[in-house]
Amino acid sequence: MKPSLYQGLNARQQQMLEHFSREGELRIAALKDTYQVTEMTIRRDLEKLEEAGAIKRTFGGAIFVGKDIALQERAGILTEEKAKIGRYAASLISTGESIFIDGGTTTLQLAKFLPPGMNITVVTNALNVAAELSGKQIPVLVTGGMLLEATNSLVGPIAAQSLVSMAFDRAFLGATGLNIEHGFSNSNIYEAEIKQTAIRQASETNILLDHTKFGAKVLVSFVPLSGVDRIISDQWPDESLKLACREAGVRMEVAN
């Protein structure tokens, strides 16, 4: 793998790289639908990703060739933007709260910016979030469940059931895509189930996502626009999405 080449990818190609790292294999037809661009544009994107050593093109699609380091590679994409989002999200949390943080490279940044010894309780299904909080003297509860290697997250019925008896002041969730019709979406059905459960158990739901997710629609819609309280990103979306958020009663906030 060649992380230095990843820095030359445009926003759509960076998002596509994350998509491949989650799914392992994607078809051109599905990519056209997700990113709303022409087949020629998708083919150029795939060529760029192959040159970077991230994928191998196949007939009608491509496969991800770095699955064993997927999380680490995603962590190196849009690092500054994700750090801004995480720092901003951390500033919203008050002493005494119970919060849920799910898996992902942006939600991990939230854990990094929680100050040591903060009087809160964190529940998470993400092993990397738990590891980040280790040694910070913050009580952490980790769900059980089946390990999803691509995101280092615990999913499945055991993970979902462990959340049902809990109540959170705030949930902080990532998303793979956001558009007006499909709402917030994720490329893995098992992760989507955990997100839906956490939303039901939370008094306030916050979605943390960078600007490359705007307009994208991936496999599973886990909540409509109106089903969350706040979106935290590094940039404003286009006017149509901004208006849709306002009409749905969602606070859109940009981390600076």
Side-chain angles (χ1 to χ4, degrees):
M1 304 296 286
K2 307 178 183 66
S4 61
L5 290 178
Y6 291 176
Q7 296 172 8
L9 301 178
N10 65 32
R12 184 182 58 256
Q13 291 160 357
Q14 290 175 341
Q15 184 182 0
M16 202 176 291
L17 174 59
E18 290 200 29
H19 197 173
F20 268 106
S21 70
R22 285 175 174 267
E23 292 299 298
E25 181 175 4
L26 291 165
R27 309 294 292 175
I28 289 174
L31 291 167
K32 281 176 55 184
D33 183 54
T34 297
Y35 298 100
Q36 298 294 296
V37 294
T38 66
E39 180 175 329
M40 183 62 69
T41 298
I42 291 295
R43 290 187 182 278
R44 284 197 294 265
D45 289 339
L46 295 182
E47 182 178 357
K48 183 73 172 181
L49 290 173
E50 188 171 50
E51 289 174 357
I55 65 165
K56 180 176 177 58
R57 284 182 290 173
T58 61
F59 182 76
I63 58 173
F64 187 65
V65 296
K67 205 165 188 177
D68 56 331
I69 54 172
L71 190 67
Q72 293 93 319
E73 292 299 342
R74 288 201 309 277
I77 299 171
L78 298 173
T79 305
E80 183 178 343
E81 290 86 348
K82 292 175 182 179
K84 287 180 180 179
I85 295 168
R87 184 188 297 112
Y88 186 94
S91 72
L92 301 175
I93 301 168
S94 300
T95 298
E97 291 186 342
S98 296
I99 66 171
F100 177 80
I101 306 174
D102 81 340
T105 53
T106 306
T107 49
L108 176 62
Q109 292 295 326
L110 163 59
K112 289 183 177 182
F113 284 101
L114 291 176
M118 189 175 187
N119 181 26
I120 60 174
T121 299
V122 176
V123 181
T124 186
N125 69 320
L127 298 183
N128 59 341
V129 169
E132 179 64 34
L133 295 175
S134 176
K136 282 194 173 186
Q137 294 81 50
I138 294 175
V140 179
L141 299 178
V142 182
T143 70
M146 176 180 66
L147 178 63
L148 189 64
E149 291 186 10
T151 56
N152 220 13
S153 299
L154 298 169
V155 297
I158 294 175
Q161 186 60 38
S162 69
L163 299 180
V164 171
S165 62
M166 299 183 188
F168 311 116
D169 294 294
R170 306 177 199 264
F172 295 91
L173 312 174
T176 311
L178 164 61
N179 75 8
I180 297 171
E181 297 81 14
H182 207 54
F184 300 92
S185 55
N186 190 266
S187 56
N188 186 282
I189 192 170
Y190 299 107
E191 285 190 320
E193 178 189 22
I194 299 300
K195 294 175 191 293
Q196 289 170 336
T197 305
I199 289 169
R200 287 195 296 268
Q201 304 305 116
S203 298
E204 178 188 278
T205 299
N206 301 272
I207 304 292
L208 280 54
L209 78 175
D210 65 74
H211 66 277
T212 66
K213 311 301 193 303
F214 295 150
K217 176 184 68 175
V218 293
L219 181 63
V220 185
S221 173
F222 62 87
V223 68
L225 268 176
S226 59
V228 308
D229 299 282
R230 181 188 285 112
I231 301 168
I232 305 171
S233 189
D234 59 302
Q235 291 183 21
W236 293 106
D238 62 32
E239 285 302 320
S240 61
L241 182 53
K242 191 189 299 186
L243 177 61
C245 290
R246 189 180 306 123
E247 291 177 344
V250 184
R251 295 195 297 278
M252 182 77 187
E253 299 177 10
V254 173
N256 293 316

